[in-house]
Every structure is written in structure tokens, then in C-alpha cells.
């Protein structure tokens, strides 16, 4: 059956675009993948700490892709003052990203506890900055943490945070477990979550056998994947697209200790169309990728549109030395982007 879908270009509320040559190779692929607006993660080297860093990074990104809109974030530190937080808001920074120390790529400067951060949260709540969270508990907390339970064990801390700052907007990024899905469903309207294309597809077996499927948080059990699938199938507006596309060169993946990250940017909306169609919920794709997120972040609808056409294509083996998600597999859609 002929299936063509014309929808607004996507908003990707969580993407890693890197620096230097990697940036130059990756950023032009954002629009080809069907996203017009992307929220850029700050875990660069060095991280994006100030609104000046964010402005510099944004102008560099813009040079490589003038047609893409970049939404900026900053790396959350306990030393951020009220003046800096106010400046971030005034300079268009949308969210501050909290990384627990050591849980993923470039999180060495991350936080070890929430207590020191209370003044920062207070100011964020007052000035309307969103708290974006990588929700995994570090290994060194004496609570028998491993990659499979690190997200679930983080949730009690988030519960307290939400209770202490009820009007602070919080996004739990890249949810990967049924426990996290239930937490989001049961929390107030100020709390939402992003879902990646890969967590809708993978389970633990996929990354245990293939390091190209290794990311943080790791994909979990089939029942966790099912919980994620169910919220997109039902069109739950608390869950929206954040790809966590995280490019690493093949030489950083194809080794004994592979870097965490899955690269989905160049075919982002094609992966999602393929998955949603298979799950029988292609009609839910538009809201997932271009309504729920921008509504949460209070942004207008994208003017650009994309066309998804039901026609098979093979995922390339690599893009400039980066192996994409599902390389060599057949996807059931192709995309045309109105630029
Ligand atoms: O898999 C991941 N890769 N998860 C993250 O949280 C960071 C990202 C990266 O920057 O490579
Ligand atoms: Zn990420």
C-alpha cells in the first residue's frame, strides 16, 4: 500500500553535535534526517559552561548549517550564580543539563549530589530554565549499581527534587526503563521525558552482541522497551523526541572499551517512520516529533515540512567514518526535505 506522510520537520530535543571536523561532518546531516530544530548538548571538550560559550558554539554550528535552528544548553555546575542563570535565560539558553559524575561521555565534571545545587535549582525555577537530566546513579554510591539498574535507582532522587521544586520544569532524558516511564506518567505536568529512536528498538541482547548499539543509558529488557513503545503508541504528550544521536568515529567504537553513543542524525525521521509504521502508530509520529516537545518548551511550530514516502532503502555502512544505527539494514521509508 502506498503510504506518504507530510508533516512538519522534527524538533530533536537532545542531540550531540561535537566540535571540529566531526561537527563539520555531522551538522549538515541534521536537515537531511528531517529535523529543522535541535537542542544541542553541552558535553563538549571543554563543556559549554557559560552563555558566552553557548553563543560561540551556536555561531559555529550555524556556519555549518545556516538553515537549521539550534537551541542551546549549558552544563550544570553548582557554582552557577543567579547573574549567570539570568544571563543564560536572556541569551536564549533553554535548558541546563545535569550529568551525574562519570556516568557517560565527558561527564567527569558532572555532579555528585543534589544538595549543593539547591540555590541553582531555585534560580532556574525563578527564571524559567528547564532542567535536563541524564538520570543514572553513578557506580560509586554503594547501592549495587550497574548499567541495568542505574536509571531506576536514580528515580527516588528525582522524586525528591520534583517535590522540592514543583514548578521547575524537568526533562528526564532518553528514558530506557519501565520504572522511568511509570515515574514520568505519575509526576506532574512540569515533568516530561525524551525518547530516542534506538531505545524503541533495542534490548540488552543487541548491545551485548554489538558495540555499535552501546549507549548510555543502555537498552534494557524487552518489557522496558515495551513500556516505551506503549507510550508512543498511545500518543502520551509527556514523551517526545530527543534522539541522543551521539557520533563517535568507528575507531572509538571498534575497540575493547567502546565509546557510548548511537548515531541516528542522518536518517532520524526515517528510523522513526520505520518503527512507528511497524508498531502500527504512524499517525502518532507527527505529535511525537513536532508537537509535544515544542509545547513543553513553549516554542512555535516549524514552518518547514518533510515528506516520508514508503519506499525501502538500505542504511549506509558509514558517514565520514561514523557508523550509523542499523547500518546495512533495510528501512521501509525514504525522506524528502523541503529546505
Ligand atoms: O550514549 C551516550 N552518548 N549517552 C550519553 O549520555 C552521551 C553520549 C555522548 O556524548 O557520546
Ligand atoms: Zn546525550
Amino acid at each position: 500500500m502506498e503510504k506518504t506522510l507530510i508533516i512538519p520537520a522534527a524538533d530533536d530535543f537532545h542531540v550531540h553535535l561535537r566540535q571540529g571536523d566531526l561537527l563539520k561532518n555531522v551538522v549538515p546531516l541534521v536537515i537531511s534526517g528531517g529535523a529543522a530544530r535541535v537542542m544541542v548538548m553541552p558535553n563538549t571538550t571543554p563543556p559549554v559552561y557559560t552563555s558566552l560559550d553557548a553563543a560561540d558554539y551556536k555561531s559555529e554550528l550555524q556556519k555549518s548549517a545556516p538553515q537549521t535552528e539550534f537551541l542551546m544548553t549549558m552544563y550544570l555546575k553548582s557554582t552557577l550564580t543567579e547573574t549567570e542563570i539570568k544571563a543564560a535565560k536572556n541569551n536564549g539558553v533553554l535548558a541546563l543539563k545535569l550529568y551525574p559524575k562519570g556516568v557517560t561521555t565527558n561527564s567527569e565534571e558532572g555532579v555528585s549530589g543534589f544538595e549543593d545545587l539547591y540555590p541553582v535549582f531555585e534560580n532556574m525555577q525563578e527564571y524559567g530554565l528547564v532542567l535536563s537530566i541524564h538520570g543514572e546513579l553513578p557506580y560509586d554510591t554503594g547501592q549495587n549499581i550497574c548499567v541495568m539498574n542505574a536509571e531506576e535507582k536514580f528515580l527516588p532522587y528525582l522524586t525528591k527534587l520534583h517535590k522540592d521544586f514543583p514548578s521547575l520544569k524537568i526533562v528526564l532524558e532518553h528514558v530506557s526503563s519501565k520504572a522511568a516511564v511509570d515515574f514520568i506518567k505519575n509526576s506532574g505536568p512540569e515533568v516530561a521525558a525524551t525518547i530516542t529512536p534506538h531505545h524503541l528498538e533495542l534490548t540488552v541482547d543487541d548491545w551485548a552482541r554489538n558495540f555499535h548499539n552501546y549507549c548510555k543509558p543502555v537498552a534494557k529488557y524487552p518489557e522496558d522497551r515495551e513500556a516505551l513503545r506503549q507510550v508512543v503508541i498511545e500518543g502520551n504528550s509527556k514523551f517526545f523526541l530527543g534522539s541522543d544521536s551521539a557520533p563517535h568515529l568507528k575507531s572509538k567504537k571498534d575497540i575493547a572499551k567502546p565509546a557510548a553513543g548511537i548515531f541516528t542524525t542522518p536518517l532520524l525521521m526515517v528510523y522513526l517512520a520505520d518503527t512507528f509504521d511497524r508498531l502500527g502508530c504512524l499517525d502518532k509520529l507527527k505529535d511525537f516529533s513536532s508537537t509535544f516537545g515544542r509545547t513543553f518548551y513553549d516554542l512555535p511550530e516549524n514552518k518547514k515540512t518533510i515528506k516520508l514516502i514508503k519506499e525501502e532503502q538500505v542504511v549506509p555502512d558509514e558517514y565520514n567514518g561514523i557508523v550509523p544505527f542499523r547500518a546495512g539494514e533495510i528501512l521501509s521509508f525514504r525522506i524528502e526535505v523541503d529546505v
Side-chain angles (χ1 to χ4, degrees):
M1 196 183 79
E2 163 90 4
K3 271 189 200 168
T4 297
L5 194 65
I6 299 174
I7 55 175
D11 293 319
D12 180 353
F13 281 100
H14 184 136
V15 70
H16 298 269
L17 296 176
R18 311 303 191 206
Q19 296 153 284
D21 288 344
L22 213 46
L23 178 156
K24 290 196 181 74
N25 288 333
V26 167
V27 172
L29 298 172
V30 169
I31 192 73
S32 347
R37 191 161 54 189
V38 290
M39 179 171 277
V40 189
M41 289 299 119
N43 64 333
T44 46
T45 334
V48 178
Y49 279 136
T50 66
S51 36
L52 203 60
D53 295 343
D56 287 349
Y57 191 26
K58 182 173 178 158
S59 68
E60 202 188 333
L61 294 163
Q62 208 74 73
K63 269 186 234 148
S64 290
Q67 71 278 55
T68 302
E69 189 181 339
F70 299 98
L71 306 169
M72 304 313 290
T73 62
M74 277 160 47
Y75 203 101
L76 189 138
K77 290 220 300 189
S78 60
T79 49
L80 276 172
T81 63
E82 179 173 0
T83 313
E84 288 169 310
I85 289 169
K86 203 169 156 186
K89 181 70 185 176
N90 291 337
N91 288 304
V93 168
L94 247 61
L96 301 190
K97 177 73 188 281
L98 184 155
Y99 287 99
K101 199 176 177 66
V103 296
T104 189
T105 312
N106 291 351
S107 60
E108 296 75 21
E109 303 302 318
V111 307
S112 297
F114 285 174
E115 301 74 33
D116 293 353
L117 296 167
Y118 267 48
V120 174
F121 296 148
E122 195 75 58
N123 288 319
M124 288 174 69
Q125 183 171 253
E126 177 172 352
Y127 293 105
L129 277 163
V130 172
L131 175 63
S132 155
I133 298 189
H134 183 115
E136 287 190 290
L137 211 57
Y139 288 179
D140 57 8
T141 46
Q143 295 185 49
N144 295 325
I145 306 298
C146 71
V147 290
M148 295 304 284
N149 66 14
E151 184 173 89
E152 181 163 6
K153 297 246 184 182
F154 185 81
L155 298 174
Y157 297 87
L158 207 49
T159 306
K160 174 160 169 37
L161 180 63
H162 178 38
K163 192 164 156 277
D164 291 345
F165 298 93
S167 33
L168 175 64
K169 280 192 164 184
I170 298 174
V171 179
L172 181 57
E173 302 291 341
H174 38 56
V175 280
S176 64
S177 59
K178 181 176 184 307
V181 167
D182 290 342
F183 167 82
I184 297 295
K185 280 182 173 172
N186 296 327
S187 55
E190 308 301 323
V191 183
T194 53
I195 292 185
T196 76
H198 48 276
H199 287 104
L200 288 172
E201 287 292 341
L202 305 175
T203 64
V204 51
D205 286 5
D206 295 299
W207 58 263
R209 281 195 290 248
N210 177 357
F211 46 80
H212 288 294
N213 290 327
Y214 175 61
C215 64
K216 289 301 297 294
V218 298
K220 307 222 161 35
Y221 296 110
E223 49 272 35
D224 295 298
R225 180 180 62 183
E226 192 50 34
L228 295 169
R229 288 179 167 180
Q230 281 310 318
V231 285
V232 305
I233 289 170
E234 75 190 35
N236 189 318
S237 63
K238 284 166 90 53
F239 299 85
F240 51 83
L241 172 60
S243 71
D244 197 18
S245 176
H248 290 282
L249 287 174
K250 202 173 167 188
S251 54
K252 295 263 165 50
K253 294 287 285 179
D254 210 341
I255 49 176
K257 280 191 173 180
I262 296 179
F263 185 45
T264 47
T265 289
L267 290 168
L268 179 62
M269 290 304 288
V270 179
Y271 292 121
L272 286 169
D274 183 85
T275 302
F276 277 55
D277 191 35
R278 203 168 350 102
L279 297 178
C281 63
L282 197 56
D283 60 321
K284 298 296 194 313
L285 182 57
K286 170 183 177 282
D287 283 344
F288 177 73
S289 60
S290 68
T291 309
F292 298 153
R294 74 170 165 83
T295 306
F296 183 85
Y297 277 100
D298 257 329
L299 296 168
E301 187 176 68
N302 276 322
K303 289 284 171 284
K304 289 192 181 70
T305 57
I306 58 170
K307 192 191 255 189
L308 291 156
I309 303 137
K310 187 134 191 197
E311 209 175 281
E312 289 188 347
Q313 66 169 303
V314 181
V315 179
D317 287 338
E318 56 179 86
Y319 290 86
N320 296 306
I322 311 158
V323 178
F325 183 45
R326 299 181 64 185
E329 289 184 34
I330 293 171
L331 300 178
S332 54
F333 283 80
R334 71 178 174 84
I335 186 169
E336 283 176 11
V337 179
D338 154 36
V339 273

